[in-house]
Amino acid sequence: MNNQLDSLRDELDQVNIQLLELINKRGQLVKELGDIKKAQGMKAYDPERERDMLNHIVEQHQGPFEYSTIEHLFKEIFKAAKELQEDDYHKTLLVSRDKQPTDTIVAVDDLHIGNGEQQFVMGPCSVESFEQVDQVAEVVKKQGVRILRGGAFKPRTSPYDFQGLGEEGLKILRDVGDRHGLKVVSEITHPNDIALGEKYLDIIQIGARNMQNFDLLKEAGKANVPIILKRGLAATINEFLNAAEYIVSQGNPNIILCERGIRTYETATRNTLDITAVPVLKRETHLPVMVDVTHSTGRRDLLLPAAKAALAIGADGIMAEVHPDPAVALSDSQQQMDIPTFEHFIQNLRQPSLLTHD
Ligand SMILES: O=C(O)C(=O)C[C@]1(C(=O)O)C=C[C@@H](O)C=C1
């Protein structure tokens, strides 16, 4: 009897090792699948695939285990597979906190973003004239703002809307920035214009509509200036991180992520400011995170409360639009602050002890 027991156990030991070899072989296949899915910005978890496999396995099952037992065993195998992929997934993302636990601090000469200082990116939606930008620059400089924004290439919903001054707008922004000792940032919308951005700008912005313009991202990854990358209108955090990965993977590590609201069913605001995206991103990535309160809320009356919330939840900075006379602005006239509103905005934000309810 013992011989029979021993013989069966020996056979079982061999089956265990065969199972082990098959499980590890499966693990290698799963890792390869995970790499392919990561490169395409796909999530590790694919429930439909898992259901198809379970259906096929159960069809082939002839006992002695119960169907439910077989399903449970394979669900554990799938669970281990996902963990294997997610470990690989997060570890290999250059932007992930797993890869680099310490914060990335983006330096623009003596200005730093991501070191705990709250930075403000303020200026008009569009560069319309030297005088217009110069007037805003003087006011924001006086309030201690160090980064001036202004759109020169304007991706607009309608082709008939003001499209921006192009290179002329970049020149104006550069001249005004130099005149007031401000860093300047503007959106670049085409890969061929990244070189223009490097010529005139201290920071290049990639807008929400271009977050997955992969050719633009790759070109930005070769640029020698920092990039502000705005979240796409309907982009998941995962897609947002992968878009940043496209840039970093080309060699440019200086990225500032910008939450600018997501498209939802809600119409009370222009977009829905996903305020918890800030702590989620700070957990998932070492990159600094800013919040654009103008394009997210689309409402002047919400700019200050949204900015307070953003700073309180941990944002590294705030972006908002300021125009000498918003009523006659060539774009975003509804959302831009005029100068008195901006002064109230920035003074309230800079002196938290004096924060007043609006
Ligand atoms: O087929 C895939 O897409 C895989 O990633 C493999 C696998 C698996 O373990 O078989 C892993 C995770 C998914 O949820 C689905 C399937």
Side-chain angles (χ1 to χ4, degrees), residues 23 82 98 304 330 344:
I23 287 170
K82 285 193 287 295
D98 292 340
L304 182 55
L330 294 178
H344 173 264

Side-chain angles (χ1 to χ4, degrees), residues 26 30 33-34 37 44-47 49-50 53 77-78 81-82 85:
R26 187 182 202 284
V30 160
L33 277 162
K37 295 203 287 188
Y45 180 42
D46 183 339
R49 168 63 180 155
E50 293 191 14
M53 287 189 286
I77 290 174
F78 298 159
K82 285 193 287 295
Q85 288 180 335

